[in-house]
Amino acid sequence: MAPTGRGGSDEETRGDAPTSRGEPLQLIAHSEGNWTIGEQALDVLKRIKAPIAVVAVCGRARTGKSYILNKLLGAAGAAGFEVASSYRPCTKGLWMWSQPLRRTALDGSNYYLVLLDTEGIDAYNQTTQDGVSLFSLAVLLSSLFVFNQMGGIDEAALDRLALVTELTRRIRVHGSAAAAAASNGGAAAEAAPAAEGDKTEKKKGKGKGPEAPSPVQHGASSDGAAGGAMLQEVSSLSEFTPSFMWLLRDFYYDLEGEHGVKQSPRDYLETALMPTAGSGPAVEAKNMIRESIKCLFKERECVTLVRPVSDEAALRRLDTLPEEQLRPEFVEGVSKLTAAIFARAQPKRLGTQLLSGPLLAGLAQAYVKAINTGAVPTIHTAWHSVAEGECRAACYAAEDAYRATFDPNTPADEQLLEKEHQRALAAATAAFQERAVGDPGLQRRWAQRFAAACGLAFEAVRERRLAAAAEALERQLGELAARLHTEARLGGQDFPGLAASVQAGVGGVVGATVGAARWPRLLAFTHQQYASLGAELWERAAAAAEAERQRAALEARAQLAEAQRQVATLQAELAETKRRADEATAAAATAAAAVAKANGAAPRAGAGGGAGRRAAAYVDSDDEDNSKSRGCFGFGC
């Protein structure tokens, strides 16, 4: 079993569990000049939100690349990547193990290790351009690139790595327009088309036309400026290339340097990459390859493995052989190799950005799209496209986080609503920052977009909540006003009593509502009610006074009518008295006349006249008294 490697535990690096659940998935396929992305593998990558490390094993066909990957998985037998013993390659394109290995970094953070198995770069049914494209994709996507080779490092092996020089033609860091913009921090220019060289590639029709000769083919010395430019381009690519491990299989050399000094495999590699002596185009071409490898892969390592078994038949069944049938040196070497790979396979970075599964998936799609359209994959253009997509997704995630965090039942108070808005905006910002990638200008642009969207959503909620609160306040104030006016009309309260009712009613409304906006309205309502209730009390007092005046008038009229009735009664009684007096006088006169007649004597004139005069005087006296009486009661005196 392989050691854990730096920063990992036994549980995390054992392959038994992953292989029992995983399977190989094709990440990138190639058919009839077209490259495609495997959807299943893409889905697996998109689910890995943590940082991701990628180990790609590349090399010639039939050199045991899949065997090494299966050892990393801890797989045995038929489990793991397919291993075949025939000359026909069993791996086409790039294959990925479906179950990433969980790892722990030195700082305690978790990341996941993805293993990629590549088609042999010189398979018999593969064109040179296919091999270069495959090599380019493996380099672009991996954080540790393992170049698997049989035997030692010689000129033939270095010539096979001449693909490194081809990377300068197959990969660009910047397009011509984007390069200038990138130096100024411009994000828009990064999305510009690739350089003029890219257009030349497009005109070739997906690379099927004649290829431009490489510096190696014509000799780098034929144009020193061109060779220097190529090395400069390779050096700029090195910022984005993975760590490099040259794995030498069936290695049987004694690693001794000059004077018999023991060398490490790393020293052996560095010695092999030293420029050779001599002059001429051929020598300079070989030295250009060496310099290109050193410029492209700043972090280099070399590991050697001895031949696992001596028997050729057993060698063809290497994946099924138990460890006791393998050479102990080989078993120990595989153990050290897996430990070294685990230690060097750190999360992939693009500049300072740690890549997660979705970002790696986006880059793979961008690179494949560029190759299919005949363009040169431009790292910054591809990265800008991926960053743009991730920032867009981060913007949508931020808006979702804002909606999920904001409490729609927040009391309709300006300060409380603003506080809730800031709380939800903080959650949205955290969600955005968790996913957003790319340069600060790009992130700032999308951050402004989600902040504006959240602001619009907040304004809509705020207006709706405040409108509903204002409506509820007006409804309560209307009910209170009706109750107060009813009390003023029917309750018989004085102004202090009504003022107490106003205070109690307003206090109830304050307890049932929130928000600083209610205070001006409540103040205006209180002033309005005091004024209207005072006017109503005045009207009520005026009505009472009028009623009292009318009552007094009615009472006076009643008293007058009674007095008049009494006067009329007295007058009637006086008239009756006078009538009776007249009747008595007449009767007396008649009686006197009768007496006189009976006595036979005529009444003396003097006597009669005197009696008549006395009767008349009596009547006149009565009339005078009657006139005086009538004048006093008739208000005529």
Side-chain angles (χ1 to χ4, degrees):
M1 182 59 61
T4 61
R6 184 176 61 186
S9 64
D10 286 332
E11 260 188 355
E12 291 166 349
T13 56
R14 285 174 60 95
D16 306 81
T19 54
S20 63
R21 298 191 303 270
E23 61 177 336
L25 300 175
Q26 190 155 35
L27 176 61
I28 298 177
H30 180 259
S31 177
E32 298 179 357
N34 193 53
W35 298 85
T36 57
I37 298 285
E39 292 298 328
Q40 281 186 285
L42 211 60
D43 290 340
V44 170
L45 288 177
K46 289 179 178 179
R47 289 196 296 267
I48 305 174
K49 306 304 182 182
I52 187 171
V54 183
V55 173
V57 181
C58 191
R60 300 183 65 189
R62 314 307 325 127
T63 55
K65 300 183 299 297
S66 300
Y67 176 82
I68 296 301
L69 289 167
N70 289 339
K71 285 302 178 182
L72 292 172
L73 287 172
F81 291 98
E82 183 179 358
V83 179
S85 58
S86 69
Y87 68 93
R88 293 180 179 274
C90 56
T91 302
K92 299 289 290 182
L94 286 176
W95 286 75
M96 182 187 85
W97 191 251
S98 64
Q99 188 67 36
L101 305 180
R102 187 170 181 268
R103 305 284 298 160
T104 302
L106 290 175
D107 61 359
S109 61
N110 293 325
Y111 66 96
Y112 287 87
L113 176 61
V114 171
L115 302 179
L116 295 183
D117 192 8
T118 66
E119 177 183 355
I121 58 175
D122 59 349
Y124 74 93
N125 57 349
Q126 178 190 88
T127 65
T128 301
Q129 179 156 335
D130 292 342
V132 172
S133 297
L134 188 66
F135 186 89
S136 302
L137 289 170
V139 168
L140 288 169
L141 297 177
S142 62
S143 59
L144 175 61
F145 183 78
V146 180
F147 186 71
N148 187 74
Q149 176 195 309
M150 304 298 289
I153 301 176
D154 53 17
E155 290 301 330
L158 290 171
D159 286 341
R160 282 192 292 272
L161 265 182
L163 291 173
V164 170
T165 60
E166 288 292 320
L167 287 178
T168 61
R169 298 174 58 243
R170 301 297 175 182
I171 304 174
R172 293 281 189 272
V173 175
H174 297 283
S176 60
S183 63
N184 296 326
E190 288 186 357
E196 292 297 324
D198 303 353
K199 297 177 182 178
T200 303
E201 292 291 332
K202 288 184 180 180
K203 292 178 180 179
K204 294 178 182 178
K206 297 186 180 180
K208 292 183 180 180
E211 296 183 7
S214 70
V216 176
Q217 291 171 322
H218 281 256
S221 62
S222 62
D223 190 346
M230 186 193 72
L231 289 178
Q232 184 178 3
E233 183 69 22
V234 170
S235 181
S236 66
L237 279 174
S238 67
E239 297 180 17
F240 306 96
T241 53
S243 297
F244 178 71
M245 179 180 288
W246 201 329
L247 174 59
L248 304 176
R249 307 286 294 275
D250 294 358
F251 190 78
Y252 55 88
Y253 298 108
D254 289 329
L255 293 179
E256 291 184 358
E258 295 182 3
H259 313 294
V261 178
K262 188 73 173 178
Q263 282 186 320
S264 67
R266 171 69 180 273
D267 295 333
Y268 173 65
L269 171 61
E270 296 303 320
T271 300
L273 294 179
M274 291 179 64
T276 60
S279 61
V283 173
E284 292 187 10
K286 293 179 183 298
N287 288 338
M288 180 64 71
I289 294 175
R290 288 171 166 81
E291 194 62 32
S292 296
I293 295 172
K294 290 192 291 184
C295 287
L296 188 66
F297 300 114
K298 299 295 186 181
E299 297 182 8
R300 303 181 292 275
E301 184 59 271
C302 183
V303 178
T304 62
L305 285 177
V306 299
R307 191 175 180 85
V309 292
S310 300
D311 182 50
E312 291 293 337
L315 189 61
R316 287 192 292 269
R317 297 181 291 106
L318 181 62
D319 57 310
T320 60
L321 290 179
E323 284 190 356
E324 54 269 19
Q325 294 186 24
L326 300 175
R327 295 175 62 187
E329 300 93 325
F330 177 78
V331 174
E332 181 182 1
V334 170
S335 178
K336 291 181 179 180
L337 170 65
T338 55
I341 289 176
F342 282 130
R344 287 185 169 273
Q346 296 302 305
K348 183 171 179 59
R349 292 178 179 271
L350 199 65
T352 60
Q353 178 68 50
L354 277 175
L355 297 189
S356 62
L359 296 181
L360 187 71
L363 284 175
Q365 290 175 302
Y367 292 144
V368 167
K369 180 180 179 181
I371 293 174
N372 282 337
T373 55
V376 175
T378 304
I379 294 176
H380 272 276
T381 301
W383 173 240
H384 178 76
S385 175
V386 172
E388 185 86 26
E390 285 299 306
C391 283
R392 182 183 297 106
C395 176
Y396 298 152
E399 293 176 17
D400 292 341
Y402 180 88
R403 285 190 289 268
T405 304
F406 191 93
D407 182 6
N409 298 318
T410 300
D413 176 78
E414 288 277 5
Q415 293 182 347
L416 294 178
L417 286 170
E418 179 63 28
K419 183 178 180 180
E420 183 64 14
H421 169 62
Q422 293 300 327
R423 187 180 75 89
L425 194 61
T429 302
F432 177 81
Q433 292 176 346
E434 182 179 358
R435 184 163 184 178
V437 295
D439 64 86
L442 177 65
Q443 294 191 40
R444 184 167 53 252
R445 178 160 56 87
W446 284 99
Q448 291 171 349
R449 177 169 175 173
F450 89 76
C454 293
L456 290 176
F458 170 67
E459 286 300 321
V461 172
R462 188 181 70 85
E463 290 180 8
R464 185 168 62 251
R465 295 288 295 149
L466 293 180
E471 182 181 357
L473 177 62
E474 293 300 326
R475 184 174 61 253
Q476 294 184 50
L477 292 179
E479 294 172 356
L480 175 59
R483 186 169 66 252
L484 291 173
H485 284 275
T486 300
E487 291 180 6
R489 287 192 300 270
L490 305 178
Q493 290 184 337
D494 55 6
F495 191 80
L498 285 176
S501 297
V502 171
Q503 183 177 2
V506 170
V509 173
V510 170
T513 57
V514 295
R518 61 189 169 154
W519 297 115
R521 181 66 186 95
L522 287 172
L523 181 61
F525 173 81
T526 303
H527 289 167
Q528 179 185 8
Q529 293 307 309
Y530 278 139
S532 61
L533 289 173
E536 194 156 329
L537 282 177
W538 183 87
E539 290 176 1
R540 191 180 71 182
E546 177 65 19
E548 179 64 21
R549 186 189 65 78
Q550 292 179 359
R551 186 194 63 76
L554 289 174
E555 185 177 347
R557 283 197 295 270
Q559 290 177 353
L560 177 60
E562 179 64 20
Q564 289 175 346
R565 186 187 64 76
Q566 290 179 2
V567 169
T569 300
L570 290 175
Q571 287 178 345
E573 290 178 354
L574 181 61
E576 181 64 22
T577 301
K578 182 179 179 182
R579 184 185 62 77
R580 288 177 182 176
D582 288 344
E583 289 178 355
T585 301
T590 301
V595 170
K597 187 178 181 180
N599 291 329
R604 293 179 300 195
R613 285 191 298 269
R614 285 193 297 271
Y618 176 81
V619 171
D620 291 339
S621 175
D622 288 342
D623 288 340
E624 184 179 354
D625 292 339
N626 187 27
S627 174
K628 290 179 180 180
S629 173
R630 188 168 55 248
C632 290
F633 285 99
F635 304 96
C637 53

